[in-house]
PDB file of all heavy atoms in Angstrom:
ATOM      1  N   GLN A 295      -6.534   1.620  11.738  1.00  0.00           N
ATOM      2  CA  GLN A 295      -6.900   0.327  11.164  1.00  0.00           C
ATOM      3  C   GLN A 295      -7.580   0.598   9.830  1.00  0.00           C
ATOM      4  O   GLN A 295      -8.572   1.328   9.767  1.00  0.00           O
ATOM      5  CB  GLN A 295      -7.852  -0.443  12.076  1.00  0.00           C
ATOM      6  CG  GLN A 295      -8.279  -1.759  11.482  1.00  0.00           C
ATOM      7  CD  GLN A 295      -9.313  -2.479  12.330  1.00  0.00           C
ATOM      8  OE1 GLN A 295      -9.762  -1.976  13.345  1.00  0.00           O
ATOM      9  NE2 GLN A 295      -9.690  -3.661  11.893  1.00  0.00           N
ATOM     10  N   HIS A 296      -7.032   0.014   8.785  1.00  0.00           N
ATOM     11  CA  HIS A 296      -7.618   0.154   7.453  1.00  0.00           C
ATOM     12  C   HIS A 296      -8.938  -0.612   7.430  1.00  0.00           C
ATOM     13  O   HIS A 296      -9.010  -1.749   7.890  1.00  0.00           O
ATOM     14  CB  HIS A 296      -6.648  -0.413   6.395  1.00  0.00           C
ATOM     15  CG  HIS A 296      -7.167  -0.311   5.005  1.00  0.00           C
ATOM     16  ND1 HIS A 296      -7.773  -1.355   4.361  1.00  0.00           N
ATOM     17  CD2 HIS A 296      -7.178   0.729   4.138  1.00  0.00           C
ATOM     18  CE1 HIS A 296      -8.142  -0.978   3.154  1.00  0.00           C
ATOM     19  NE2 HIS A 296      -7.785   0.291   2.994  1.00  0.00           N
ATOM     20  N   ILE A 297     -10.001   0.014   6.916  1.00  0.00           N
ATOM     21  CA  ILE A 297     -11.320  -0.618   6.904  1.00  0.00           C
ATOM     22  C   ILE A 297     -11.956  -0.494   5.531  1.00  0.00           C
ATOM     23  O   ILE A 297     -11.567   0.332   4.704  1.00  0.00           O
ATOM     24  CB  ILE A 297     -12.266   0.016   7.948  1.00  0.00           C
ATOM     25  CG1 ILE A 297     -12.426   1.510   7.677  1.00  0.00           C
ATOM     26  CG2 ILE A 297     -11.791  -0.243   9.355  1.00  0.00           C
ATOM     27  CD1 ILE A 297     -13.538   2.163   8.456  1.00  0.00           C
ATOM     28  N   SER A 298     -12.964  -1.320   5.320  1.00  0.00           N
ATOM     29  CA  SER A 298     -13.786  -1.259   4.118  1.00  0.00           C
ATOM     30  C   SER A 298     -15.125  -0.649   4.514  1.00  0.00           C
ATOM     31  O   SER A 298     -15.679  -0.983   5.557  1.00  0.00           O
ATOM     32  CB  SER A 298     -14.000  -2.675   3.560  1.00  0.00           C
ATOM     33  OG  SER A 298     -15.011  -2.647   2.586  1.00  0.00           O
ATOM     34  N   LEU A 299     -15.664   0.218   3.678  1.00  0.00           N
ATOM     35  CA  LEU A 299     -16.941   0.855   3.990  1.00  0.00           C
ATOM     36  C   LEU A 299     -18.131  -0.083   3.804  1.00  0.00           C
ATOM     37  O   LEU A 299     -19.251   0.262   4.168  1.00  0.00           O
ATOM     38  CB  LEU A 299     -17.122   2.113   3.135  1.00  0.00           C
ATOM     39  CG  LEU A 299     -16.122   3.232   3.425  1.00  0.00           C
ATOM     40  CD1 LEU A 299     -16.345   4.401   2.473  1.00  0.00           C
ATOM     41  CD2 LEU A 299     -16.238   3.701   4.859  1.00  0.00           C
ATOM     42  N   THR A 300     -17.892  -1.282   3.284  1.00  0.00           N
ATOM     43  CA  THR A 300     -18.992  -2.232   3.060  1.00  0.00           C
ATOM     44  C   THR A 300     -18.997  -3.384   4.058  1.00  0.00           C
ATOM     45  O   THR A 300     -19.882  -4.228   4.016  1.00  0.00           O
ATOM     46  CB  THR A 300     -18.916  -2.806   1.632  1.00  0.00           C
ATOM     47  OG1 THR A 300     -17.651  -3.452   1.455  1.00  0.00           O
ATOM     48  CG2 THR A 300     -19.096  -1.704   0.599  1.00  0.00           C
ATOM     49  N   GLU A 301     -18.014  -3.432   4.957  1.00  0.00           N
ATOM     50  CA  GLU A 301     -17.942  -4.492   5.967  1.00  0.00           C
ATOM     51  C   GLU A 301     -18.169  -3.898   7.348  1.00  0.00           C
ATOM     52  O   GLU A 301     -17.716  -2.794   7.643  1.00  0.00           O
ATOM     53  CB  GLU A 301     -16.573  -5.177   5.926  1.00  0.00           C
ATOM     54  CG  GLU A 301     -16.311  -5.930   4.645  1.00  0.00           C
ATOM     55  CD  GLU A 301     -14.933  -6.564   4.630  1.00  0.00           C
ATOM     56  OE1 GLU A 301     -14.313  -6.700   5.717  1.00  0.00           O
ATOM     57  OE2 GLU A 301     -14.469  -6.912   3.540  1.00  0.00           O
ATOM     58  N   THR A 302     -18.850  -4.687   8.209  1.00  0.00           N
ATOM     59  CA  THR A 302     -19.120  -4.204   9.568  1.00  0.00           C
ATOM     60  C   THR A 302     -17.843  -4.204  10.403  1.00  0.00           C
ATOM     61  O   THR A 302     -16.925  -4.994  10.156  1.00  0.00           O
ATOM     62  CB  THR A 302     -20.188  -5.055  10.282  1.00  0.00           C
ATOM     63  OG1 THR A 302     -19.722  -6.403  10.357  1.00  0.00           O
ATOM     64  CG2 THR A 302     -21.516  -4.992   9.545  1.00  0.00           C
ATOM     65  N   VAL A 303     -17.807  -3.305  11.373  1.00  0.00           N
ATOM     66  CA  VAL A 303     -16.681  -3.216  12.305  1.00  0.00           C
ATOM     67  C   VAL A 303     -17.237  -3.231  13.716  1.00  0.00           C
ATOM     68  O   VAL A 303     -18.408  -2.922  13.947  1.00  0.00           O
ATOM     69  CB  VAL A 303     -15.852  -1.921  12.086  1.00  0.00           C
ATOM     70  CG1 VAL A 303     -15.131  -1.959  10.771  1.00  0.00           C
ATOM     71  CG2 VAL A 303     -16.708  -0.693  12.223  1.00  0.00           C
ATOM     72  N   GLU A 304     -16.390  -3.621  14.669  1.00  0.00           N
ATOM     73  CA  GLU A 304     -16.768  -3.605  16.083  1.00  0.00           C
ATOM     74  C   GLU A 304     -15.994  -2.490  16.768  1.00  0.00           C
ATOM     75  O   GLU A 304     -14.766  -2.439  16.694  1.00  0.00           O
ATOM     76  CB  GLU A 304     -16.458  -4.950  16.744  1.00  0.00           C
ATOM     77  CG  GLU A 304     -17.305  -6.074  16.202  1.00  0.00           C
ATOM     78  CD  GLU A 304     -17.013  -7.419  16.839  1.00  0.00           C
ATOM     79  OE1 GLU A 304     -16.207  -7.483  17.809  1.00  0.00           O
ATOM     80  OE2 GLU A 304     -17.578  -8.405  16.369  1.00  0.00           O
ATOM     81  N   VAL A 305     -16.746  -1.578  17.408  1.00  0.00           N
ATOM     82  CA  VAL A 305     -16.137  -0.432  18.088  1.00  0.00           C
ATOM     83  C   VAL A 305     -16.848  -0.185  19.411  1.00  0.00           C
ATOM     84  O   VAL A 305     -17.953  -0.668  19.634  1.00  0.00           O
ATOM     85  CB  VAL A 305     -16.199   0.855  17.225  1.00  0.00           C
ATOM     86  CG1 VAL A 305     -15.349   0.724  15.988  1.00  0.00           C
ATOM     87  CG2 VAL A 305     -17.614   1.206  16.870  1.00  0.00           C
ATOM     88  N   ARG A 306     -16.217   0.589  20.265  1.00  0.00           N
ATOM     89  CA  ARG A 306     -16.827   0.994  21.532  1.00  0.00           C
ATOM     90  C   ARG A 306     -17.385   2.409  21.350  1.00  0.00           C
ATOM     91  O   ARG A 306     -16.703   3.278  20.799  1.00  0.00           O
ATOM     92  CB  ARG A 306     -15.820   0.953  22.670  1.00  0.00           C
ATOM     93  CG  ARG A 306     -15.306  -0.481  22.894  1.00  0.00           C
ATOM     94  CD  ARG A 306     -14.686  -0.691  24.229  1.00  0.00           C
ATOM     95  NE  ARG A 306     -15.617  -0.740  25.320  1.00  0.00           N
ATOM     96  CZ  ARG A 306     -16.371  -1.790  25.661  1.00  0.00           C
ATOM     97  NH1 ARG A 306     -16.350  -2.881  24.939  1.00  0.00           N
ATOM     98  NH2 ARG A 306     -17.159  -1.749  26.713  1.00  0.00           N
ATOM     99  N   VAL A 307     -18.627   2.610  21.821  1.00  0.00           N
ATOM    100  CA  VAL A 307     -19.293   3.906  21.691  1.00  0.00           C
ATOM    101  C   VAL A 307     -19.647   4.406  23.093  1.00  0.00           C
ATOM    102  O   VAL A 307     -20.179   3.661  23.913  1.00  0.00           O
ATOM    103  CB  VAL A 307     -20.569   3.787  20.822  1.00  0.00           C
ATOM    104  CG1 VAL A 307     -21.289   5.122  20.734  1.00  0.00           C
ATOM    105  CG2 VAL A 307     -20.215   3.278  19.423  1.00  0.00           C
ATOM    106  N   THR A 308     -19.351   5.669  23.347  1.00  0.00           N
ATOM    107  CA  THR A 308     -19.598   6.297  24.648  1.00  0.00           C
ATOM    108  C   THR A 308     -21.094   6.500  24.884  1.00  0.00           C
ATOM    109  O   THR A 308     -21.837   6.836  23.972  1.00  0.00           O
ATOM    110  CB  THR A 308     -18.886   7.665  24.710  1.00  0.00           C
ATOM    111  OG1 THR A 308     -17.503   7.461  24.457  1.00  0.00           O
ATOM    112  CG2 THR A 308     -19.063   8.325  26.067  1.00  0.00           C
ATOM    113  N   LEU A 309     -21.518   6.302  26.133  1.00  0.00           N
ATOM    114  CA  LEU A 309     -22.906   6.555  26.535  1.00  0.00           C
ATOM    115  C   LEU A 309     -22.969   7.908  27.243  1.00  0.00           C
ATOM    116  O   LEU A 309     -22.131   8.215  28.082  1.00  0.00           O
ATOM    117  CB  LEU A 309     -23.392   5.464  27.495  1.00  0.00           C
ATOM    118  CG  LEU A 309     -23.420   4.048  26.939  1.00  0.00           C
ATOM    119  CD1 LEU A 309     -23.718   3.053  28.050  1.00  0.00           C
ATOM    120  CD2 LEU A 309     -24.449   3.926  25.834  1.00  0.00           C
ATOM    121  N   HIS A 310     -23.981   8.714  26.889  1.00  0.00           N
ATOM    122  CA  HIS A 310     -24.198  10.007  27.546  1.00  0.00           C
ATOM    123  C   HIS A 310     -25.545   9.960  28.245  1.00  0.00           C
ATOM    124  O   HIS A 310     -26.559   9.707  27.608  1.00  0.00           O
ATOM    125  CB  HIS A 310     -24.182  11.148  26.523  1.00  0.00           C
ATOM    126  CG  HIS A 310     -22.820  11.492  26.044  1.00  0.00           C
ATOM    127  ND1 HIS A 310     -22.150  12.609  26.462  1.00  0.00           N
ATOM    128  CD2 HIS A 310     -21.988  10.855  25.187  1.00  0.00           C
ATOM    129  CE1 HIS A 310     -20.968  12.645  25.872  1.00  0.00           C
ATOM    130  NE2 HIS A 310     -20.844  11.591  25.102  1.00  0.00           N
ATOM    131  N   LEU A 311     -25.559  10.209  29.557  1.00  0.00           N
ATOM    132  CA  LEU A 311     -26.811  10.234  30.318  1.00  0.00           C
ATOM    133  C   LEU A 311     -27.427  11.616  30.211  1.00  0.00           C
ATOM    134  O   LEU A 311     -26.765  12.619  30.461  1.00  0.00           O
ATOM    135  CB  LEU A 311     -26.562   9.873  31.774  1.00  0.00           C
ATOM    136  CG  LEU A 311     -25.916   8.516  32.047  1.00  0.00           C
ATOM    137  CD1 LEU A 311     -25.842   8.251  33.542  1.00  0.00           C
ATOM    138  CD2 LEU A 311     -26.654   7.401  31.347  1.00  0.00           C
ATOM    139  N   ASN A 312     -28.714  11.665  29.833  1.00  0.00           N
ATOM    140  CA  ASN A 312     -29.431  12.935  29.691  1.00  0.00           C
ATOM    141  C   ASN A 312     -30.572  13.015  30.685  1.00  0.00           C
ATOM    142  O   ASN A 312     -31.274  12.032  30.908  1.00  0.00           O
ATOM    143  CB  ASN A 312     -30.003  13.070  28.273  1.00  0.00           C
ATOM    144  CG  ASN A 312     -28.922  13.159  27.219  1.00  0.00           C
ATOM    145  OD1 ASN A 312     -27.851  13.685  27.467  1.00  0.00           O
ATOM    146  ND2 ASN A 312     -29.206  12.644  26.041  1.00  0.00           N
ATOM    147  N   GLY A 313     -30.766  14.195  31.245  1.00  0.00           N
ATOM    148  CA  GLY A 313     -31.876  14.427  32.165  1.00  0.00           C
ATOM    149  C   GLY A 313     -31.485  14.210  33.609  1.00  0.00           C
ATOM    150  O   GLY A 313     -30.445  13.638  33.919  1.00  0.00           O
ATOM    151  N   THR A 314     -32.375  14.704  34.483  1.00  0.00           N
ATOM    152  CA  THR A 314     -32.207  14.497  35.922  1.00  0.00           C
ATOM    153  C   THR A 314     -33.273  13.515  36.382  1.00  0.00           C
ATOM    154  O   THR A 314     -34.461  13.759  36.195  1.00  0.00           O
ATOM    155  CB  THR A 314     -32.380  15.826  36.695  1.00  0.00           C
ATOM    156  OG1 THR A 314     -31.423  16.766  36.191  1.00  0.00           O
ATOM    157  CG2 THR A 314     -32.146  15.631  38.182  1.00  0.00           C
ATOM    158  N   PRO A 315     -32.874  12.385  36.951  1.00  0.00           N
ATOM    159  CA  PRO A 315     -33.854  11.380  37.382  1.00  0.00           C
ATOM    160  C   PRO A 315     -34.828  11.927  38.422  1.00  0.00           C
ATOM    161  O   PRO A 315     -34.454  12.747  39.273  1.00  0.00           O
ATOM    162  CB  PRO A 315     -32.994  10.272  37.983  1.00  0.00           C
ATOM    163  CG  PRO A 315     -31.641  10.464  37.399  1.00  0.00           C
ATOM    164  CD  PRO A 315     -31.506  11.933  37.181  1.00  0.00           C
TER     165      PRO A 315
END
Side-chain angles (χ1 to χ4, degrees):
Q295 178 185 3
H296 180 262
I297 59 168
S298 168
L299 295 177
T300 59
E301 294 179 17
T302 60
V303 292
E304 294 180 6
V305 294
R306 297 199 73 79
V307 178
T308 303
L309 298 172
H310 285 255
L311 302 185
N312 295 328
T314 302

